[in-house]
Amino acid sequence: MHVATASRALNPDTRSLVSSTTAERVLQAAKALDYRPNPIARSLRTARTETVGLVIPDLTNPLVPPMVRGVADVLAPAGYDAWIVNTDNDPDREIAQIESLRDKQVDGLIVATARLEHPLLEQLHDEGVRIVLANRLLGAGRIPSVTADNAAGSALAVDHLVALGHRRIAHVSGPQTLSTGLVRRRGYLHAIRDHGLPEDPELLVTCAAWTEEEGARAFGSLLDSGVEFTAVVAGHDRVALGCYDALAARGLSCPGDMSVVGFNDMPFMDKMRPALTTVRVAHYEVGAEAARLLLDSFADPGRPARGVLLQPTLVIRSSTAPPA
Amino acid sequence: MHVATASRALNPDTRSLVSSTTAERVLQAAKALDYRPNPIARSLRTARTETVGLVIPDLTNPLVPPMVRGVADVLAPAGYDAWIVNTDNDPDREIAQIESLRDKQVDGLIVATARLEHPLLEQLHDEGVRIVLANRLLGAGRIPSVTADNAAGSALAVDHLVALGHRRIAHVSGPQTLSTGLVRRRGYLHAIRDHGLPEDPELLVTCAAWTEEEGARAFGSLLDSGVEFTAVVAGHDRVALGCYDALAARGLSCPGDMSVVGFNDMPFMDKMRPALTTVRVAHYEVGAEAARLLLDSFADPGRPARGVLLQPTLVIRSSTAPPA
DNA sequence: TTGTATGCGTTATCAG
DNA sequence: CTGATAACGCATACAA
């Protein structure tokens, strides 16, 4: 029995090149000897690794693990594994990590970091590297991407508050260097306009980061400014929690004095007091869909880039009520 | 210039075998050509991958990501990367994942799944596979491991409640098939005894899983049983949240009617109402220390197994108060 | 249908 | 100190 024949018999794709009897014998022997193919040798020969790089900002951000699971769960049945790397939102680290992944010969890349620009990714894409963007839109959709429809999410929040009877609705937005920060604010503004409400720049404040501290600071300054309003759309659940803190510090109640809507539906938001009304983003589905796009691009390299927009939903809990 | 020489010059370990002038030339050329060594070819030749397998139950469990970061942050400076795989607590899946990692030729394994027994791990260890256990004790310490001192954590909780004046303290324990469930209960019992309090079996209930639902069910049955007590040590933060629910459902207040202590200090436990007093486990450190043990075992294969016990701390918030 | 030969990119051994 | 050569385990082009 000779090694090339065995190789053909073991590989489902080439098994037809071998007689069924010898194929059978090889399979038997393989089982008997507990033979395990060496993926490293295979990869050296084929220049494929059945592996994709998954570039995320930080695994300890509660939004990330569901997305990672979505990726892994879709890749696994196709025989692919994911290499996970954290960038900590450091551009240099991101570049280094991506280069390291390329050295490892990953077959493709799913990039889920949120910064708005990244020339390296465009360049890699032009060089033929298979890339899918998750949670971030880049360029004019030349690179396939999967994101939540953040503008629609903001509109969902505004619609809900308007239906409750609110007319003066504030927005605490995030860094405008993040696609989420930018698009959620834009969605809020469009929705306000669509409802025929006045667009008051005084009702718009901006956080330097998606944190509770920044949320409390920015929303606190709005509360202290004397501007009148009865509800707020926060650009992020963490910011919404910061709004809670700012209200509590001023003896105001939610939703009695102020309705608050968050964004993302992170774990435990249903356990807050009050339980947070928020825009739910299906992060698992973002990851799963990104993995599907990547697998598609493996199967059909010529396929044009698709951009997938996932529709968020509103989860109504106890932080919103009609205005007093 | 000839390939073997270049290889020697590029590798810091063998660079001394080459004249400094040619080494310099090689390094220059490598930079000029943007040469990137192929780790796959290297691994095929050396039978080492600079990679460790990290076996976890489920990335979406909030306790897990900090541990993963601890592992990754310690491995990275040593030039190692981690392959992360989820088992979803399925023994068959765990076996399959570990075999797949071995096929990929990982240099070592960090296993963080929580079941009490696993013959495969002992067998692999005996075969010379480098393994470190995280969050689980196995056998008689033959395999190096890193865990929180769960018994000490339970004692911390009991000590705190006793200091507040509580005398009848219940415990909601977890599955006794999990090392955490077992050891935390044992720690509670020892602490009760150490304080000279009566060991009342009626004060002990058990959950079938570390979930809020099970916590609410088990603790609710205890509340309904008519047994008198003023405080409860929950074996897990999720169980503690279940206790909150059971109390609320019966019109009881925390900490007014009942003090509650959790275990783990998961994210957002400081945001609960009341903010949860809980035993904090340094999961990042568990991962970091596990990675250190593994790196040690690479450096010195003969080194005897060490078992590291990390001391938890008590975080006192608003869910505990003197008895009424 | 099967065997033979070659090469993937690197490192280690052995001469020179 | 450096060059030549072989080998890691597998997959494929080609020959039989």
Side-chain angles (χ1 to χ4, degrees):
Chain A
M1 179 55 52
H2 306 298
V3 41
T5 313
S7 171
R8 288 185 273 248
L10 261 1
N11 187 327
D13 294 342
T14 51
R15 188 164 308 151
S16 52
L17 300 176
V18 94
S19 84
S20 53
T21 58
T22 46
E24 195 58 33
R25 277 209 302 152
V26 170
L27 260 23
Q28 293 287 340
K31 186 178 304 175
L33 300 171
D34 192 33
Y35 166 80
R36 331 267 323 173
N38 181 329
I40 300 200
R42 180 207 300 273
S43 292
L44 182 60
R45 175 65 232 242
T46 61
R48 291 177 306 104
T49 54
E50 325 272 66
T51 293
V52 328
L54 176 51
V55 182
I56 58 175
D58 177 15
L59 202 54
T60 61
N61 178 336
L63 304 175
V64 170
M67 206 206 62
V68 174
R69 288 304 307 261
V71 170
D73 289 352
V74 168
L75 291 181
Y80 284 80
D81 290 299
W83 258 120
I84 301 165
V85 299
N86 298 277
T87 68
D88 290 319
N89 285 317
D90 174 344
D92 293 337
R93 224 170 115 76
E94 178 168 341
I95 291 174
Q97 297 277 35
I98 288 177
E99 289 189 338
S100 161
L101 287 170
R102 292 204 65 198
D103 293 344
K104 294 202 185 87
Q105 314 264 56
V106 296
D107 297 339
L109 240 29
I110 295 176
V111 181
T113 51
R115 260 163 334 104
L116 215 42
E117 321 219 349
H118 208 317
L120 174 61
L121 295 183
E122 305 243 22
Q123 179 193 327
L124 290 176
H125 177 255
D126 292 341
E127 289 172 8
V129 178
R130 311 267 165 242
I131 302 184
V132 174
L133 265 28
N135 271 340
R136 135 161 99 178
L137 290 168
L138 192 74
R142 298 173 47 239
I143 307 184
S145 67
V146 183
T147 55
D149 188 338
N150 285 292
S154 291
L156 243 32
V158 172
D159 293 350
H160 167 61
L161 292 168
V162 168
L164 285 173
H166 295 273
R167 303 276 305 163
R168 297 197 47 85
I169 301 170
H171 179 50
V172 185
S173 72
Q176 300 298 299
T177 51
L178 262 42
S179 63
T180 46
L182 196 68
V183 177
R184 288 174 191 176
R185 189 180 67 162
R186 205 182 286 156
Y188 156 84
L189 289 169
H190 279 152
I192 291 291
R193 201 174 309 150
D194 287 349
H195 283 285
L197 299 178
E199 290 178 64
D200 186 344
E202 291 196 315
L203 289 176
L204 196 52
V205 288
T206 302
C207 296
W210 290 135
T211 63
E212 288 141 52
E213 293 72 23
E214 269 298 294
R217 184 198 58 73
F219 187 61
S221 73
L222 190 59
L223 287 172
D224 295 339
S225 71
V227 181
E228 297 277 325
F229 62 104
T230 59
V232 58
V233 174
H236 194 290
D237 287 342
R238 285 197 185 279
V239 170
L241 296 183
C243 294
Y244 278 16
D245 293 340
L247 288 169
R250 288 160 181 78
L252 297 170
S253 85
C254 170
D257 299 310
M258 181 73 57
S259 286
V260 177
V261 183
F263 212 116
N264 278 327
D265 197 23
M266 298 197 303
F268 297 113
M269 291 306 108
D270 56 327
K271 298 285 179 185
M272 298 293 130
R273 295 294 173 79
L276 184 68
T277 293
T278 187
V279 177
R280 173 178 291 164
V281 173
H283 291 98
Y284 181 93
E285 279 308 321
V286 170
E289 193 58 31
R292 283 187 207 106
L293 287 191
L294 193 59
L295 291 176
D296 285 351
S297 84
F298 295 160
D300 176 5
R303 171 190 297 244
R306 266 187 298 163
V308 175
L309 267 191
L310 261 31
Q311 289 310 309
T313 55
L314 186 72
V315 184
I316 298 172
R317 299 201 180 99
S318 313
S319 64
T320 48
Chain B
M1 178 53 53
H2 306 298
V3 42
T5 313
S7 171
R8 287 186 274 247
L10 260 1
N11 188 325
D13 295 342
T14 51
R15 187 165 307 151
S16 54
L17 299 176
V18 94
S19 84
S20 52
T21 58
T22 45
E24 196 57 33
R25 276 209 302 153
V26 171
L27 261 23
Q28 293 287 341
K31 186 177 306 174
L33 300 172
D34 192 33
Y35 165 79
R36 331 263 329 169
N38 181 329
I40 300 201
R42 181 206 300 273
S43 291
L44 182 60
R45 177 65 232 235
T46 62
R48 293 177 304 104
T49 54
E50 325 271 68
T51 293
V52 328
L54 177 50
V55 183
I56 58 175
D58 176 16
L59 202 54
T60 61
N61 177 334
L63 304 175
V64 170
M67 205 205 63
V68 174
R69 287 304 308 259
V71 170
D73 289 353
V74 168
L75 290 182
Y80 283 79
D81 290 299
W83 258 121
I84 301 165
V85 298
N86 298 276
T87 67
D88 289 320
N89 285 317
D90 174 344
D92 293 337
R93 223 170 115 77
E94 178 168 342
I95 291 174
Q97 297 277 35
I98 288 177
E99 289 190 338
S100 160
L101 287 170
R102 292 205 64 197
D103 292 345
K104 295 202 186 87
Q105 314 264 54
V106 296
D107 297 339
L109 239 32
I110 295 176
V111 181
T113 51
R115 259 162 334 103
L116 216 42
E117 320 219 348
H118 208 318
L120 174 62
L121 295 183
E122 305 242 20
Q123 178 194 327
L124 290 175
H125 178 254
D126 291 341
E127 288 173 8
V129 178
R130 312 267 164 241
I131 302 183
V132 174
L133 264 29
N135 272 341
R136 136 161 98 179
L137 290 168
L138 194 73
R142 299 173 45 237
I143 307 183
S145 67
V146 183
T147 55
D149 188 337
N150 286 291
S154 290
L156 243 31
V158 172
D159 293 350
H160 167 60
L161 292 168
V162 168
L164 286 173
H166 295 274
R167 304 275 307 162
R168 296 196 48 84
I169 301 169
H171 179 51
V172 185
S173 72
Q176 300 298 297
T177 51
L178 263 41
S179 62
T180 46
L182 196 70
V183 178
R184 288 174 191 176
R185 189 181 67 163
R186 205 183 287 156
Y188 157 84
L189 290 169
H190 278 154
I192 291 291
R193 202 174 308 151
D194 287 350
H195 283 286
L197 300 177
E199 290 178 63
D200 187 344
E202 293 195 314
L203 290 176
L204 196 51
V205 290
T206 302
C207 297
W210 290 135
T211 63
E212 288 140 53
E213 293 71 22
E214 268 298 293
R217 185 200 57 72
F219 187 61
S221 72
L222 191 59
L223 287 172
D224 296 338
S225 72
V227 183
E228 297 277 325
F229 61 104
T230 59
V232 58
V233 174
H236 194 290
D237 288 342
R238 285 197 184 279
V239 170
L241 296 183
C243 294
Y244 279 17
D245 293 341
L247 289 169
R250 287 160 182 79
L252 296 171
S253 84
C254 170
D257 299 311
M258 182 72 59
S259 286
V260 177
V261 183
F263 211 117
N264 278 327
D265 196 23
M266 297 198 302
F268 298 112
M269 292 305 109
D270 55 327
K271 298 284 179 187
M272 297 293 130
R273 296 293 174 79
L276 184 67
T277 294
T278 187
V279 177
R280 172 179 291 163
V281 173
H283 290 99
Y284 181 94
E285 279 308 321
V286 171
E289 193 58 31
R292 283 186 207 108
L293 287 191
L294 193 59
L295 290 175
D296 285 352
S297 84
F298 294 160
D300 175 5
R303 172 190 296 246
R306 267 186 297 163
V308 174
L309 267 191
L310 262 31
Q311 289 311 309
T313 55
L314 185 72
V315 184
I316 299 172
R317 300 201 180 100
S318 313
S319 65
T320 49

